[in-house]
């Protein structure tokens, strides 16, 4: 097999080939992105909000330069989406869909930069479009949707830096890193990988360039407001990340990290492509930096016991290089050999892609296909039951005497419950929730504080320890009997009197994460 960077094209021919993109190649990439976009637009309104989406929506109503669980970029995008689309599921998820469409196109362009022709570009784009994690990112509004795009763009700009030798590309890398730091803090692992890649390859020549250091300054300036917010809040997000990491490791969520690199992040049939891409990067003196970026980033996550999907954004560059390498190899085969290999590969790829779509995308609102996906997709199960929860809370409120309704508050035990009451509750005339989870804790409690409380997300024992005169008033679940975190772990709803301590003491002792 012949690998890009060694024998595909000379520097001059690569520069000439990269000067413009033929319309047919643009058409192919845009068609793939459009098809994925249409698939999500047609299916993203099937169920309900995910608990994480409800937290984003809640934080979007209280914009700041930082939040306990994440930087400010994602809530800002959701605030804009709410202003445009209201509470439309498909509308609010459109930004995530477009982010994944952009990542698909960027991967195809990366294959072109690496010497790939139309087949390589289409193959790389398809591999990203129909892999489990990227496909999932278009089904919900998550900060990881944008994080995936930033990683892909950073890789594209790095390829252009290494191909052209123009150090000004560091500014594009720095700007994207800065926005990435405003999106998801785990991008620091990629930053570490980039620095290691520079040091361990011929890219170390850029250490003498002022553009390299200017890019670092640019990234810092972009994320400076969030950094100052963290300083003001005693780096509360670091405490949150510590808690989440300990929880994930304790619950086994970090197990199977290496297996997940094959099972979660990339279409399984595309495994030979990304492996070939990694080998090609290391065999190329020009692009070896990216091989080290991948290896060092994945190694850091592995030894830090990160979750398997944290590294998903590192794969588009491998798929792009691998597709270019495979195309170069195929050109050496006789025509019947090329057709045979392509037929076998794309048939297997399409079969795997169909299964991924069936498991990840809510294709049906009812029937066997819906049962199939709910049995296999925990995230979709977490989209069910929030409207019923809010209706139940409203009915409990309505059953109370008028004097108790006059001083009523609603407390919650997790981010999903808090978001559901805050976002869906106004339609039922419910008051804003009082929460101690994540950024809700920073917002405090109302003045004067309520004397009657509807309590969600706590056990009877926990409710009795915090509040007076608690009684069971209802149950949290869903009429469809779909098992999820709410129906399984938080089934009871209580009506209680005031807290046993003062509100100030209660607040000081009950900050929580999760």
């Amino acid at each position: 097999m012949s690998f890009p960077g060694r024998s595909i094209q000379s520097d001059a021919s690569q520069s000439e080939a990269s000067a413009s993109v033929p319309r047919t190649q643009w058409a192919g990439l845009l068609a793939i992105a459009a098809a994925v976009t249409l698939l999500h637009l047609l299916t993203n309104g099937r169920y309900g909000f995910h608990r994480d989406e409800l937290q984003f929506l809640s934080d979007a109503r209280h914009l700041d330069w930082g939040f306990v669980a994440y930087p400010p970029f994602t809530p800002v995008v959701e605030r804009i989406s709410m202003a445009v689309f209201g509470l439309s599921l498909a509308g609010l998820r459109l930004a995530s869909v477009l982010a994944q469409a952009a990542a698909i196109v960027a991967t195809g362009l990366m294959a072109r930069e690496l010497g790939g022709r139309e087949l390589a570009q289409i193959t790389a784009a398809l591999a990203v479009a129909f892999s489990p994690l990227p496909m999932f990112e278009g089904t919900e509004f998550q900060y990881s949707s944008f994080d995936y795009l930033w990683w892909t763009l950073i890789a594209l700009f790095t390829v252009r830096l290494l191909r052209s030798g123009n150090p000004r590309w560091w500014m594009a890398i720095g700007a994207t890193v800065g926005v990435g730091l405003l999106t998801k803090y785990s991008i620091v692992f990629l930053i570490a990988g980039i620095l290691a890649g520079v040091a361990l390859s011929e890219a170390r020549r850029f250490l003498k360039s002022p553009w390299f250091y200017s890019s670092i300054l640019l990234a810092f300036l972009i994320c400076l407001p969030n950094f100052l917010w963290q300083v003001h809040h005693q780096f509360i997000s670091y405490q949150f990340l510590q808690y989440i990491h300990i929880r994930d490791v304790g619950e086994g969520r970090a197990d199977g990290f290496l297996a997940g690199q094959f099972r979660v992040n990339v279409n399984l049939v595309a495994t030979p492509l990304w492996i070939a891409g990694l080998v090609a990067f290391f065999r190329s003196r020009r692009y070896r930096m990216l091989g080290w970026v991948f290896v060092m980033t994945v190694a850091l996550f592995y030894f830090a016991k990160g979750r398997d999907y944290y590294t998903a954004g590192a794969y588009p560059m491998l798929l792009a290089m691998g597709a270019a390498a495979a195309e170069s190899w195929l050109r050496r085969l006789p025509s019947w050999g090329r057709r045979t290999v392509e037929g076998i590969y794309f048939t297997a790829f399409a079969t795997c892609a169909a299964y991924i779509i069936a498991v990840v995308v809510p294709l049906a609102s009812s029937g066997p296909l819906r049962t199939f996906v709910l049995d296999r997709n925990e995230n979709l199960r977490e989209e069910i039951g929030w409207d019923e929860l809010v209706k139940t809370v409203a009915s409990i409120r309505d059953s109370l005497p008028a004097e108790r309704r006059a001083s009523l508050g609603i407390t919650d035990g997790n981010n999903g419950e808090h978001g559901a009451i805050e976002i869906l509750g106004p339609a039922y005339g419910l008051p804003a929730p009082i929460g101690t989870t994540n950024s809700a804790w920073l917002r405090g409690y109302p003045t004067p504080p309520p004397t009657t409380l509807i309590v969600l997300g706590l056990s009877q024992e926990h409710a009795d320890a915090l509040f007076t005169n608690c009684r069971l008033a209802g149950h949290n679940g869903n009429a469809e009997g779909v098992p999820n975190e709410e129906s399984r772990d938080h089934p009871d709803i209580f009506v209680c009197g005031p807290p046993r301590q003062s509100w100030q003491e209660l607040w000081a002792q009950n900050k929580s994460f999760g």
Side-chain angles (χ1 to χ4, degrees):
M1 182 179 290
S2 176
F3 291 95
R6 253 195 163 186
S7 61
I8 285 186
Q9 290 181 334
S10 67
D11 293 351
S13 62
Q14 275 200 348
S15 297
E16 182 180 352
S18 300
S20 63
V21 184
R23 290 182 180 180
T24 55
Q25 295 179 21
W26 271 115
L29 298 179
L30 293 176
I32 296 169
V36 171
T37 298
L38 181 61
L39 173 65
H40 288 309
L41 291 179
L42 292 175
T43 58
N44 272 354
R46 289 271 158 82
Y47 300 160
F49 291 110
H50 187 274
R51 64 171 56 251
D52 291 346
E53 292 178 306
L54 289 167
Q55 179 176 230
F56 289 128
L57 288 166
S58 172
D59 287 340
R61 299 183 64 181
H62 306 273
L63 290 183
D64 203 344
W65 279 112
F67 299 90
V68 170
Y70 34 66
F73 179 86
T74 314
V76 169
V77 174
E78 198 70 323
R79 178 66 171 267
I80 296 171
S81 296
M82 276 199 293
V84 176
F85 300 107
L87 289 180
S88 161
L89 278 168
L92 290 170
R93 291 168 174 170
L94 178 61
S96 290
V97 174
L98 295 178
Q100 294 317 298
I104 291 167
V105 174
T107 303
L109 295 178
M110 205 178 336
R112 176 180 64 87
E113 293 285 338
L114 291 164
R117 300 179 184 177
E118 187 170 7
L119 176 62
Q121 296 169 39
I122 296 299
T123 301
L126 287 171
V128 167
F130 296 102
S131 287
L133 197 282
M135 180 62 68
F136 161 74
E137 297 294 5
T139 64
E140 293 180 357
F141 185 86
Q142 298 278 355
Y143 56 15
S144 52
S145 303
F146 305 103
D147 183 63
Y148 188 91
L149 174 59
W150 307 145
W151 282 51
T152 305
L153 290 178
I154 289 168
L156 173 60
F157 297 149
T158 304
V159 167
R160 289 183 170 176
L161 167 76
L162 299 175
R163 181 188 60 77
S164 67
N166 185 346
R168 289 179 176 83
W169 279 107
W170 278 115
M171 299 303 287
I173 296 169
T176 311
V177 166
V179 177
L181 287 168
L182 290 178
T183 304
K184 194 169 186 283
Y185 294 121
S186 62
I187 202 170
V188 297
F189 286 84
L190 175 61
I191 296 171
I194 291 172
L195 295 176
V198 169
L200 294 171
S201 70
E202 290 190 350
R204 70 176 66 92
R205 69 186 184 276
F206 291 115
L207 294 175
K208 300 178 182 179
S209 171
W211 293 103
F212 174 77
Y213 299 99
S214 297
S215 72
I216 295 174
L217 177 61
L218 177 60
F220 177 73
L221 290 175
I222 290 173
C223 70
L224 180 59
N226 177 248
F227 177 77
L228 295 176
W229 184 92
Q230 291 291 348
V231 171
H232 179 69
H233 291 86
Q234 293 79 49
F235 292 94
I236 192 171
S237 295
Y238 178 71
Q239 301 173 41
F240 168 82
L241 292 172
Q242 281 186 312
Y243 166 83
I244 291 296
H245 180 66
I246 293 171
R247 181 203 68 183
D248 287 351
V249 173
E251 295 180 357
R253 298 186 185 188
D255 295 346
F257 177 86
L258 294 179
Q261 306 308 304
F262 299 86
R263 180 177 55 85
V264 175
N265 293 336
V266 185
N267 185 304
L268 188 61
V269 177
T271 299
L273 287 183
W274 71 257
I275 292 176
L278 180 60
V279 173
F281 276 138
F282 275 109
R283 291 187 63 180
S284 166
R285 294 181 63 184
R286 171 182 291 167
Y287 297 116
R288 190 168 297 150
M289 170 191 167
L290 289 170
W292 284 117
V293 169
F294 176 83
V295 169
M296 297 303 292
T297 302
V298 172
L300 287 171
F301 274 117
Y302 174 76
F303 288 112
K305 297 187 180 299
R307 297 179 69 174
D308 49 19
Y309 71 88
Y310 290 176
T311 60
Y315 285 90
M317 64 182 182
L318 300 189
L319 293 168
M321 181 61 122
E327 183 187 55
S328 176
W329 173 69
L330 283 172
R331 289 202 299 267
R332 298 173 179 271
L333 298 180
S335 59
W336 65 267
R338 288 198 302 273
R339 289 194 296 269
T340 300
V341 172
E342 291 171 5
I344 293 173
Y345 175 81
F346 284 109
T347 298
F349 181 89
T351 301
C352 188
Y355 178 79
I356 290 168
I357 293 171
V359 170
V360 174
V361 180
L363 294 174
S365 299
S366 60
L369 195 55
R370 184 175 187 272
T371 302
F372 176 86
V373 68
L374 288 178
D375 286 344
R376 292 161 176 80
N377 191 323
E378 179 181 0
N379 283 293
L380 287 181
R381 293 198 296 272
E382 292 299 325
E383 295 181 5
I384 294 174
W386 298 111
D387 286 307
E388 291 177 70
L389 169 63
V390 175
K391 289 178 183 178
T392 300
V393 171
S395 67
I396 293 172
R397 183 271 317 271
D398 294 342
S399 69
L400 296 174
E403 62 272 16
R404 301 197 72 182
R405 293 200 303 268
S407 182
L408 177 70
I410 302 171
T411 70
D412 54 79
N414 61 59
N415 57 350
E417 294 166 352
H418 189 89
I421 297 299
E422 181 167 8
I423 300 303
L424 306 177
Y428 299 88
L430 294 177
I434 306 168
T436 59
T437 303
N438 297 348
S439 289
W441 179 77
L442 296 174
R443 295 166 198 150
Y445 49 87
T447 302
T451 56
T452 298
L453 295 162
I454 298 176
V455 179
L456 311 173
L458 301 183
S459 65
Q460 177 81 61
E461 181 181 10
H462 195 183
D464 286 337
L466 294 177
F467 304 103
T468 57
N469 302 319
C470 292
R471 65 173 178 85
L472 182 65
H475 295 283
N476 180 13
N478 57 83
E480 302 172 67
V482 175
N484 55 24
E485 182 178 332
E486 285 302 301
S487 64
R488 181 183 64 245
D489 300 338
H490 313 294
D492 298 327
I493 303 174
F494 305 95
V495 170
C496 301
R500 297 184 180 276
Q501 304 169 289
S502 70
W503 278 92
Q504 185 176 9
E505 292 172 325
L506 178 69
W507 219 253
Q509 296 177 16
N510 284 280
K511 175 180 69 174
S512 60
F513 295 132

